[in-house]
Amino acid sequence: MGEAPAAVQAGAGPWPPFHPHADVWLLAAGLVALYLYALRRLGPRHAPAEEPPASRRQIAAFLSGVGALVAVSGWPVHDIAEQSLFSAHMLEHMVLGLVVPPLLLVGIPAWLGARLVPARWLGVVRAVTRPVPAFVAFNLVLVAIHWPEAVELMVTSDGAHFLIHALFVLTALAMWMPVFSPIPQLPPMRAPMRMLYLFLGSIVPTVPASFLTFGSEPIYPVYGDAASAWGVTAVIDQTSAGLLMKLGGGLLLWGIVAVIWFRWSREEQRWDALERELHRT
């Protein structure tokens, strides 16, 4: 197997030296600052009367989303992903696509969501967040960014890495909008359709994951033998990445499906109880 490029060889030991990611910190700080500003300054004027601008659950979800973004886009996960382990790169992608977007959307209260998109852009947002185009766009990008040439571009170019990840997060936000839309003008789908939508979403990634899991030869020559610093071969590294994509991503989506089902079931039971009470009355 050939040697990895210098960008990968930079991490000679298992743990890369600390490297501050100022761009990630600034992005996270900006998101938190804008969120808190909206809650403190705009919330008292626009939130429903006698209600807090955001619930504790919403605040916790939004801050957790920002925290997850920082955790996988900064040191050490991002550095390991670029220098030695493709499985770390896969972890970064799974969190950016399946964890960060839903947490951010759940954290946005409806009154704030109603003001996020200007009226003149509402039609555009509605078009790109419709279930079918959003689903197709996200999964196409998900497959494309794991193509060997795309991975090599991300590993060897910081600018390309940032732009590709930005595109991935944007398509992920569009994909999650039919499930957790905070915008009243663009309500989420009904519970049964959301469950079907996420179930189908758990199936598509199994195709590229299978190539990674069952491949007997390294698919990403850009990493070379860098995984040996962690005591594993390149094939074991990419197998781990495939399992993470297939099982980790699938279990996460199925877990959300289960939560939606239980909540929908409780709501149906409450309606049934109400109807029985009305009949008795």
Side-chain angles (χ1 to χ4, degrees), residues 18 43 61 70 90 137 157 164 173 189 232:
F18 175 74
V70 173
M90 182 62 74
S157 171
I164 290 173
L173 284 169
M189 298 184 293
V232 298

Side-chain angles (χ1 to χ4, degrees), residues 63-236:
L63 296 181
S64 295
V66 175
L69 173 66
V70 173
V72 298
S73 299
W75 182 89
V77 175
H78 182 78
D79 301 78
I80 296 172
E82 284 196 328
Q83 298 173 10
S84 56
L85 292 178
F86 178 68
S87 53
H89 211 154
M90 182 62 74
L91 173 64
E92 190 176 8
H93 288 171
M94 291 297 97
V95 172
L96 290 178
L98 302 181
V99 177
V100 173
L103 286 174
L104 295 181
L105 292 176
V106 169
I108 298 175
W111 66 264
L112 179 56
R115 287 160 179 79
L116 282 179
V117 181
R120 63 180 180 274
W121 289 103
L122 194 60
V124 176
V125 175
R126 178 181 287 107
V128 299
T129 60
R130 291 175 64 88
V132 173
F135 182 90
V136 171
F138 171 76
N139 283 285
L140 284 177
V141 172
L142 177 64
V143 173
I145 65 175
H146 294 104
W147 211 260
E149 290 77 8
V151 171
E152 180 173 354
L153 182 61
M154 285 189 285
V155 167
T156 56
S157 171
D158 289 339
H161 204 159
F162 176 82
L163 291 175
I164 290 173
H165 276 188
L167 174 64
F168 182 53
V169 172
L170 288 175
T171 57
L173 284 169
M175 188 276 290
W176 283 102
M177 278 286 289
V179 182
F180 295 121
S181 173
I183 303 176
Q185 304 94 315
L186 306 174
M189 298 184 293
R190 292 179 60 84
M193 293 304 299
R194 281 186 284 167
M195 290 186 283
L196 176 61
Y197 181 79
L198 293 178
F199 173 75
L200 294 176
S202 71
I203 295 175
V204 176
T206 61
V207 177
S210 297
F211 286 99
L212 296 173
T213 304
F214 300 110
S216 58
E217 296 292 333
I219 299 177
Y220 303 103
V222 67
Y223 280 93
D225 294 316
S228 61
W230 295 88
V232 298
T233 65
V235 173
I236 293 176

